[in-house]
Amino acid sequence: MYTEKVMEHFRNPRNVGEIEDADGIGQVGNAKCGDIMKIFLKIDENDIITDVKFLTFGCGSAIASSSMATELIKGKHIDEAVALTNKAVIEALGGLPRVKVHCSVLAEQAVKSALFDYATKSGKVIAGIEDYQPDEDVHDHDDEQL
Ligand code: FES
């Protein structure tokens, strides 16, 4: 049911923890499954993400998705990070069961929320998330065709 990659990131998640003096923090949650994901970003003067950490209270797919999402945006420019999609996270994980697609959506939205927080605090404008609001119910994404 789960790919080796998902199991590997679940058992051995990358970038777990908090960043005390984070430049951007994003938290998203889902009322139906009760899962919560928090992402911390450290961003340098050239808008490069130099460090990223996450805390996820949630299912194995949410932990694997957060782990993979942090790996995909680490060292990237904020404009690249904002383009991260849940589909890219799923692809990098080698797939997720359909009912777990929303777990990857939480990861995408946690990253975008953290970038939005950074933009708000720093007075910058990040194209694509000028007035970002995470979806109310990410479970709607479970029916999407991949
Ligand atoms: Fe909701 Fe995984 S079951 S985030």
Side-chain angles (χ1 to χ4, degrees), residues 2 29-30 32-37 56-63 65 99-107 138-139 142:
Y2 291 109
N30 183 263
K32 270 192 200 154
C33 63
D35 290 359
I36 298 169
M37 204 177 277
T56 291
F57 180 80
C59 72
S61 299
I63 290 167
S65 295
V99 292
K100 292 291 180 177
V101 168
H102 76 273
C103 316
S104 68
V105 175
L106 271 190
V138 288
H139 281 86
D142 286 349

Side-chain angles (χ1 to χ4, degrees), residues 121-134:
K121 286 177 179 157
S122 63
K124 299 197 176 182
V125 175
I126 305 178
I129 53 162
E130 291 85 349
D131 35 41
Y132 185 68
Q133 284 291 331

